[in-house]
Amino acid sequence: QQQVKQSPQSLIVQKGGISIINCAYENTAFDYFPWYQQFPGKGPALLIAIRPDVSEKKEGRFTISFNKSAKQFSLHIMDSQPGDSATYFCAASTHTDKLIFGTGTRLQVFP
Amino acid sequence: GAVVSQHPSWVICKSGTSVKIECRSLDFQATTMFWYRQFPKQSLMLMATSNEGSKATYEQGVEKDKFLINHASLTLSTLTVTSAHPEDSSFYICSARDNAGEQFFGPGTRLTVL
């Protein structure tokens, strides 16, 4: 019940395209859903996060869509750029508990 | 966003020695910090949760006598890998949680045990 399932494992997108990464969870007590971006040899960086009181949050080219009834959330990267090539992790937690991470998605954006 | 630093960024040590890694929240106070381990091309594995002024809570399977955690202040937590062996070689990452519940990660420490 603590798992967060992430797909796909890897994703190849052409420059200018839309990258979509999906996550699903089971624990209905989760109330915080962040996405992290990690470059090789670096720590994860908080990209964008959402709480279940909204269905969508947008920051620049990055959008989280949240479906509470389906217990799913996704990251959309619009106008994908080669600099977006990285590994992306979704996560979930309650406000005071530890983060449960997805397995990661390796995104490659080709020019 | 909030900044978390780690020191050192990389370390090479001989088998049997101990290594200390520092994690600092630079512009906010963190009651809770976390220590993770990450193997190549894998997700982050939580090792322990560190609360300021109290004992750390270790995840199942993590040896607390081998991975000593101290959270002496609201801005500093340390991880000491005692009697390190080659199998302890990994990428260690800390994170700190702010008052809003958001978690910010350090840049990581690459440990190589010869």
Side-chain angles (χ1 to χ4, degrees):
Chain A
Q1 195 178 16
Q2 285 288 84
Q3 276 189 327
V4 176
K5 295 183 180 180
Q6 183 172 348
S7 63
Q9 189 174 9
S10 63
L11 182 60
I12 299 173
V13 173
Q14 201 160 16
K15 179 182 176 181
I18 303 174
S19 304
I20 302 174
I21 305 170
N22 300 298
C23 285
Y25 64 97
E26 296 177 358
N27 187 348
T28 55
F30 287 150
D31 60 2
Y32 176 62
F33 304 90
W35 284 89
Y36 289 88
Q37 179 189 57
Q38 186 179 30
F39 293 104
K42 305 293 183 184
L46 179 61
L47 199 59
I48 186 172
I50 198 169
R51 297 195 185 274
D53 52 343
V54 296
S55 60
E56 185 175 282
K57 183 175 181 179
K58 185 176 182 179
E59 289 184 2
R61 296 185 293 110
F62 301 93
T63 300
I64 297 180
S65 295
F66 183 78
N67 187 328
K68 189 174 181 178
S69 60
K71 291 184 284 186
Q72 296 175 349
F73 59 110
S74 60
L75 175 70
H76 292 62
I77 305 175
M78 312 300 288
D79 187 26
S80 299
Q81 298 297 311
D84 297 330
S85 298
T87 300
Y88 292 81
F89 293 97
C90 65
S93 75
T94 62
H95 182 74
T96 56
D97 206 353
K98 59 190 178 185
L99 283 172
I100 306 299
F101 280 90
T103 50
T105 296
R106 187 181 176 196
L107 172 65
Q108 293 176 279
V109 181
F110 284 94
Chain B
V3 180
V4 176
S5 70
Q6 269 184 254
H7 178 79
S9 56
W10 59 270
V11 57
I12 301 173
C13 70
K14 292 182 178 180
S15 185
T17 60
S18 295
V19 174
K20 180 185 283 188
I21 303 170
E22 290 187 349
C23 177
R24 293 181 186 273
S25 56
L26 298 185
D27 51 2
F28 68 101
Q29 293 185 328
T31 306
T32 304
M33 291 184 171
F34 303 86
W35 286 96
Y36 295 82
R37 187 173 180 177
Q38 187 177 36
F39 293 104
K41 297 184 178 179
Q42 292 190 21
S43 189
L44 289 82
M45 183 186 80
L46 180 65
M47 299 175 65
T49 301
S50 168
N51 292 298
E52 187 265 338
S54 63
K55 290 185 179 181
T57 302
Y58 290 81
E59 294 298 302
Q60 192 172 11
V62 177
E63 299 176 59
K64 60 181 180 182
D65 294 330
K66 180 167 188 59
F67 299 99
L68 300 179
I69 291 172
N70 183 274
H71 193 158
S73 77
L74 288 172
T75 59
L76 173 65
S77 177
T78 60
L79 168 68
T80 301
V81 183
T82 62
S83 186
H85 291 283
E87 58 265 30
D88 299 324
S89 298
S90 190
F91 193 50
Y92 292 87
I93 312 172
C94 73
S95 71
R97 186 164 63 198
D98 67 6
N99 290 336
E102 294 194 335
Q103 208 170 125
F104 300 92
F105 284 80
T109 297
R110 173 75 57 193
L111 170 63
T112 302
V113 184
L114 302 176

